[in-house]
Amino acid sequence: MFLASLAALASEVAESDPTDINPVVPDEIGEIFWGAIAFFGLWILMRYVLLPPLLKIRADRRNQEIADQQAASAADEQAEQVRRDYEATVAEANSEANDIIAEARAAAEHERGEIVVAAESEIALERQAALAELESQRSSAVSGLGDDVADLAVAAASKVMDASLDEPVHRSTAANYVEDAR
Amino acid sequence: MSAITNAAATVLAQADVAEQTADEAKSISAASGAGMAYGLAAIGPGIGIGYLVGQAVQAMARQPESAGQVQTTMFLGIAFTEALALIGFVVFILLKFV
Amino acid sequence: MLAALSNPVILLASEEGGGGVEFPPINLIVKWPALFGEDTFYGFNKIALISMIAMIVPTILFVIAGRNASLVPRGLQNVMEVSIDFIEKQVVMPAIGKDGMRYLPMLMAMFFFIWIGNLFEIIPTSHMPANARMANPIMLALVAWVMFIGVGVKHHGLKYFKDALFPPGVPKALYLLVTPIEFLSTFLIRPFSLAVRLFANMLAGHILLVTFSVLTITLFGAGILAIAGVLSFGMLVAFTAFEFMVAFLQAFIFSLLTAVYIGGALHPAH
């Protein structure tokens, strides 16, 4: 029954009023006409008028970018060169400074050696002088001591001579003498 | 479907003027046919677009770096799948507004 | 003159004055009387006017952008260059490749013509996408059809048809099956689906917006039901945003598919 009604519908469609055309069908030729004019007009304008300046600017910008990139890499290269030069100069200065330092150090070492040698010889001289003085002092002291001993012996002998010759007296005399001599 | 055709039959039975009856039957069968055409045409593309977009999202989640390419391909696929549903829609319009 | 351009929904609402919901007949919302030249080949109606605007607006934009073009882009020039970049990177490069830049003007024209025509679906006081009539889509699809066949013949001669209809690497017996299918899909279904995709998308969106507009107006005039009208109005706003996206997407897909077909004709290997 459904199919039958569809068939009836189909026959109805076939003989329906031509003014009542389905909205799907592009029945208005004017719409296609003006639409085609608009679209082809826009296409031609895009091709020859609208796009070329912007595409040209884009290409220019791309070229500029490439050129700028190359300039930047060149500048990089240059900077690298300058850096290398600078480093070389610094290295040179460093080695020079090292030389100067080594020279100065050697000179200082030399001077120090001289000073040390001079000081040592002076010290040796002073020590010899001191030793000599010491020796002379000691010899003079020894000779002085000999005189003293002789005096003491003379004094002791005179004491012995003066006192009686008994034993205890000698002993006490000697003790006194030693006591005195202390 | 039989309910609709029954309704059409009822209308057929009730109407007085033969011309009017034919018009009513025509519009009712056209409306039911149109509705069915669009409803059936929407099933397949619905499933298809859902599956397609799901897979595309998965691909984009796995490889976010190729999201742009996946998106373009996804739109292409949607366009092809959607055409079926749209043809159903056009058939709907053709049937409904004779 | 005014009736030829004004919105049928508003007219309808003022005529109805609230009663039951009365959706307008489809011919009222897509067919427009001619401003001049009715029933002639140059009948100029609202669709034709929108088509002309869709040509004039990109022209003005590009002329302003290109007139003072500088190496450092600013303002409008920036926007237009972004659009060129978009077509180049999203349409030409993936679909055709480097040698596809020759087709850039056609694809740009196609994209802007369709997009601006579509945008009139949601521009207030117009609310009519130019592509919801079959005229522009079928014209553009024919252009795409002629372009990709022409490119194929120009670059491969008659071998293009041989490769397209008898794809190499298929067993001889299968040609009985493959050739009719290839002929149908390449030379008939391609332009048809191109046109129908754009047309049906825009018509469906247009009907959707009209439906919700009529519903909203009727509900607001129906006393307590105005509460439901708020919901309907929210849906209308949401669908307007959705149609804004669809307008762009359909223009993009139409140019992308045209580019894909041209690319397929240019490099039949893949």
Side-chain angles (χ1 to χ4, degrees), chain C residues 9-243:
Chain C
V9 175
I10 293 167
L11 286 181
L12 196 78
S14 59
E15 282 162 13
E16 288 293 313
V21 181
E22 186 79 22
F23 288 104
I26 185 116
N27 279 337
L28 184 62
I29 62 170
V30 295
K31 289 199 177 172
W32 300 88
L35 296 176
F36 61 82
E38 182 85 67
D39 290 330
T40 56
F41 75 95
Y42 58 88
F44 192 90
N45 61 7
K46 188 170 172 180
I47 306 298
L49 181 65
I50 293 172
S51 297
M52 297 315 280
I53 293 173
M55 175 185 84
I56 291 165
V57 167
T59 306
I60 292 173
L61 289 179
F62 272 97
V63 164
I64 292 175
R67 200 182 45 197
N68 292 323
S70 61
L71 272 185
V72 181
R74 57 208 331 255
L76 193 61
Q77 189 195 348
N78 227 337
V79 176
M80 295 342 267
E81 285 198 17
V82 164
S83 77
I84 296 177
D85 276 350
F86 172 76
I87 296 293
E88 184 189 343
K89 297 231 158 56
Q90 300 290 322
V91 176
V92 175
M93 284 303 165
I96 309 179
K98 244 191 152 10
D99 47 353
M101 289 305 279
R102 286 175 47 207
Y103 308 106
L104 187 73
M106 187 198 76
L107 294 169
M108 288 290 288
M110 228 171 215
F111 178 77
F112 274 101
F113 186 69
I114 296 172
W115 188 29
I116 293 176
N118 286 350
L119 275 183
F120 276 88
E121 181 181 13
I122 57 166
I123 290 177
T125 72
S126 167
H127 283 305
M128 176 67 207
N131 297 312
R133 296 288 289 147
M134 202 54 168
N136 281 347
I138 209 147
M139 184 266 297
L140 291 168
L142 277 178
V143 168
W145 187 69
V146 170
M147 271 306 280
F148 83 79
I149 291 180
V151 166
V153 171
K154 186 182 164 196
H155 286 264
H156 305 284
L158 288 179
K159 195 168 161 295
Y160 168 68
F161 289 110
K162 188 182 153 292
D163 280 351
L165 293 178
F166 302 94
V170 177
K172 284 259 183 315
L174 270 182
Y175 281 142
L176 217 59
L177 192 65
V178 168
T179 303
I181 292 176
E182 284 290 322
F183 176 74
L184 272 179
S185 76
T186 306
F187 296 110
L188 293 182
I189 302 216
R190 269 186 187 183
F192 175 71
S193 71
L194 259 185
V196 164
R197 181 177 299 113
L198 176 59
F199 159 72
N201 257 306
M202 297 330 289
L203 180 60
H206 183 53
I207 291 175
L208 201 65
L209 292 186
V210 167
T211 306
F212 273 97
S213 305
V214 171
L215 198 62
T216 308
I217 292 172
T218 316
L219 284 175
F220 273 127
I224 191 74
L225 282 174
I227 297 161
V230 174
L231 279 179
S232 171
F233 182 71
M235 288 298 279
L236 179 60
V237 172
F239 273 120
T240 303
F242 177 71
E243 290 304 322

Side-chain angles (χ1 to χ4, degrees), chain A residues 94-116:
Chain A
N94 262 341
S95 70
E96 205 168 309
N98 279 340
D99 283 359
I100 290 171
I101 286 172
E103 219 167 276
R105 189 168 287 161
E109 195 72 22
H110 184 71
E111 207 162 315
R112 192 177 75 98
E114 274 180 357
I115 289 171
V116 163

Side-chain angles (χ1 to χ4, degrees), chain B residues 54-88:
Chain B
Q55 294 288 317
V57 167
Q58 206 173 41
M60 282 190 251
R62 276 170 199 250
Q63 284 177 303
E65 65 275 7
S66 67
Q69 206 182 351
V70 171
Q71 215 163 26
T72 307
T73 318
M74 182 185 83
F75 280 132
L76 268 182
I78 288 177
F80 283 125
T81 317
E82 191 192 36
L84 299 172
L86 293 174
I87 289 167

Side-chain angles (χ1 to χ4, degrees), chain A:
Chain A
M1 175 146 186
F2 177 68
L3 283 178
S5 59
L6 260 190
L9 165 68
S11 62
E12 280 288 328
V13 171
E15 62 199 33
S16 64
D17 193 3
T19 56
D20 193 21
I21 300 170
N22 193 277
V24 171
V25 183
D27 54 331
E28 303 266 356
I29 304 300
E31 290 175 5
I32 299 182
F33 176 71
W34 289 107
I37 285 184
F39 174 68
F40 285 105
L42 186 58
W43 183 358
I44 291 166
L45 282 173
M46 279 279 180
R47 173 74 183 79
Y48 293 104
V49 181
L50 304 181
L51 282 182
L54 287 180
L55 289 178
K56 188 179 159 296
I57 277 286
R58 262 161 44 110
D60 283 358
R61 186 178 308 132
R62 205 157 297 161
N63 292 339
Q64 177 97 46
E65 260 171 35
I66 291 169
D68 283 358
Q69 211 119 44
Q70 278 169 351
S73 62
D76 259 6
E77 198 105 322
Q78 205 172 342
E80 183 69 17
Q81 185 60 43
V82 166
R83 200 178 62 84
R84 240 178 280 137
D85 286 358
Y86 165 76
E87 267 176 10
T89 314
V90 165
E92 206 172 304
N94 262 341
S95 70
E96 205 168 309
N98 279 340
D99 283 359
I100 290 171
I101 286 172
E103 219 167 276
R105 189 168 287 161
E109 195 72 22
H110 184 71
E111 207 162 315
R112 192 177 75 98
E114 274 180 357
I115 289 171
V116 163
V117 166
E120 268 175 2
S121 65
E122 200 170 320
I123 286 169
L125 280 177
E126 272 178 15
R127 181 188 284 163
Q128 268 176 357
L131 278 177
E133 196 174 339
L134 195 66
E135 198 58 37
S136 71
Q137 291 278 351
R138 196 175 59 179
S139 61
S140 73
V142 164
S143 66
L145 196 62
D147 288 350
D148 284 355
V149 167
D151 286 349
L152 275 174
V154 170
S158 67
K159 290 252 177 156
V160 170
M161 294 299 185
D162 288 348
S164 56
L165 281 175
D166 61 34
E167 178 75 23
V169 175
H170 287 169
R171 285 196 184 273
S172 71
T173 308
N176 284 340
Y177 178 72
V178 168
E179 200 68 25
D180 286 353
R182 263 192 198 165

